[in-house]
Structure formats: structure tokens, C-alpha cells
């Protein structure tokens, strides 16, 4: 990565917003992938919606290993995933970028860096969407083909409307796979 691009990326703080509920089985993998991001100027706000498993303890242990204030654990609204994610928006300062994060994902190391670079220089609200790789529990990609139902039957569908929207234009991204019921997802960015 060029020195110019590295300086540009350091200038943008990203607040990662993670809504959790009973996420202990996959949460450690996602937290490790966040810690491994090449864009190091990030903070993480985790809103737990009343987990009774080890979710809160896993987040607290992760926070203890990070610089003070980089990771915060807050109580969620206990009103479902959508409201939990929406409540997290209150924790994003006006000059920061926000990145939504699922508890069962695994991000590739350049996910935040690529998002920051793509959004650089845009005026006003903008949205960046990355591709998704649907995987099994070991993060090995499922062998999908367009038009196939995949391992989840009719819940699996292929679609094209993954957009990177800017205030002035929209650019289509490659095909991506969406599942209503996922085991593990390794986010590609």
C-alpha cells in the first residue's frame, strides 16, 4: 500500500457497530478478524440484546486486551436485531464512518481499508457494500452455482442488487449470494 493511501486511511475513524444475542459460538472469530484489520483507526460498539450465553464475557475479555475505550459493550433495547442495530447509530459521532457488523461474520483484513478508500472524497451520505462468501463452519466456501438452491434449499437465492451508492451515481457490484439462514459467513471486502 502506498504511503499516500496509508495516510489517507489513518484520517478516517470507523465506528464498528455490532448487535449481539447468543453469539458466543462465533463471536471470537469475528472479534479476531476485526483486530486484524489493516485500517487501524477503528472503535467497536457492541450492543448485547440480553444474551444468556458467554457473549458478554467474550466481548469484555476482548475489550480488556485492546486500548482503553476502543471497545464498548452496551445494553441493547431487547426488541430484536433490527432495533438493536438501529440503537447503535446513536454511538457514531458526526465525523466518523459507521460499519455494521454481524456477530457471526469473519472479515478479511482489508475490509475496512477498502471501504474507507471507496468512500473517500464523497460529499454527503454514501453507502459501501462488500461481497459475501457463504461458507460452512470452517469458513470453506460452499460450491454454489447460479440458479441452484444450495445447501439451504429454497432459502438460498442469488441476486444482483448489491449496490455501492454515492450521492451522484450507483455502480453495480458482482453477483453475490444471500441466505436467510446462514451457518457462518466470511465477509469479503
Amino acid at each position: 500500500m502506498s504511503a499516500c493511501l496509508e495516510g489517507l486511511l489513518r484520517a478516517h475513524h470507523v465506528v464498528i457497530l455490532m448487535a449481539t444475542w447468543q453469539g458466543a459460538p462465533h463471536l471470537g472469530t469475528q472479534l479476531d478478524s476485526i483486530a486484524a484489520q489493516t485500517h487501524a483507526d477503528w472503535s467497536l460498539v457492541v450492543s448485547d440484546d440480553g444474551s444468556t450465553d458467554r457473549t458478554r464475557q467474550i466481548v469484555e475479555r476482548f475489550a480488556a486486551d485492546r486500548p482503553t475505550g476502543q471497545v464498548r459493550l452496551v445494553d441493547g433495547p431487547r426488541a430484536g436485531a433490527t432495533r438493536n442495530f438501529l440503537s447503535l447509530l446513536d454511538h457514531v459521532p458526526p465525523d466518523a464512518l459507521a460499519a455494521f457488523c454481524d456477530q457471526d461474520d469473519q472479515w478479511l483484513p482489508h475490509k475496512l481499508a477498502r471501504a474507507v478508500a471507496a468512500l473517500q472524497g464523497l460529499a454527503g451520505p454514501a453507502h459501501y457494500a462488500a461481497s459475501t462468501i457463504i461458507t460452512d463452519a470452517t469458513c470453506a466456501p460452499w460450491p454454489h452455482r447460479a440458479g441452484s438452491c444450495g445447501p439451504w434449499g429454497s432459502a438460498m437465492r442469488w441476486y444482483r442488487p448489491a449496490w455501492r451508492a454515492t450521492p451522484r451515481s450507483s455502480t453495480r457490484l458482482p453477483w453475490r449470494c444471500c441466505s436467510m439462514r446462514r451457518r457462518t459467513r466470511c465477509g469479503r471486502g
Side-chain angles (χ1 to χ4, degrees):
M1 192 178 305
S2 72
C4 180
L5 182 58
E6 286 178 9
L8 181 72
L9 295 180
R10 278 194 299 270
H12 294 285
H13 183 73
V14 179
V15 180
I16 302 168
L17 307 173
M18 181 190 293
T20 61
W21 184 74
Q22 307 294 72
H26 302 288
L27 190 54
T29 300
Q30 176 60 321
L31 293 173
D32 290 345
S33 74
I34 291 170
Q37 290 299 299
T38 58
H39 180 78
D41 187 9
W42 58 265
S43 59
L44 171 65
V45 182
V46 179
S47 176
D48 186 69
D49 224 16
S51 296
T52 58
D53 64 358
R54 297 178 356 267
T55 297
R56 294 182 71 88
Q57 292 84 357
I58 293 168
V59 174
E60 289 166 351
R61 189 173 349 114
F62 180 74
D65 292 339
R66 305 299 308 165
T68 303
Q70 187 177 34
V71 179
R72 288 186 293 146
L73 176 61
V74 299
D75 292 324
R78 296 187 181 208
T82 301
R83 290 216 176 141
N84 198 6
F85 270 114
L86 290 175
S87 73
L88 282 162
L89 289 170
D90 292 335
H91 299 275
V92 181
D95 58 339
L97 299 173
F100 287 101
C101 173
D102 286 339
Q103 65 186 7
D104 64 346
D105 283 358
Q106 180 179 352
W107 286 0
L108 296 180
H110 298 290
K111 181 178 181 75
L112 290 181
R114 288 180 180 170
V116 169
L119 295 171
Q120 176 61 33
L122 298 178
H127 174 260
Y128 173 83
S131 298
T132 299
I133 304 168
I134 304 297
T135 68
D136 63 14
T138 66
C139 279
W142 284 98
H144 299 298
R145 293 185 316 272
S148 73
C149 288
W152 296 285
S154 62
M156 179 66 72
R157 65 183 182 276
W158 289 85
Y159 67 103
R160 186 130 201 178
W163 299 84
R164 180 186 308 153
T166 68
R168 294 176 289 285
S169 67
S170 296
T171 304
R172 287 182 191 257
L173 296 177
W175 286 88
R176 77 178 220 181
C177 184
C178 173
S179 169
M180 296 169 69
R181 293 179 286 148
R182 296 174 212 129
R183 289 187 184 182
T184 302
R185 294 180 310 152
C186 294
R188 188 177 73 179

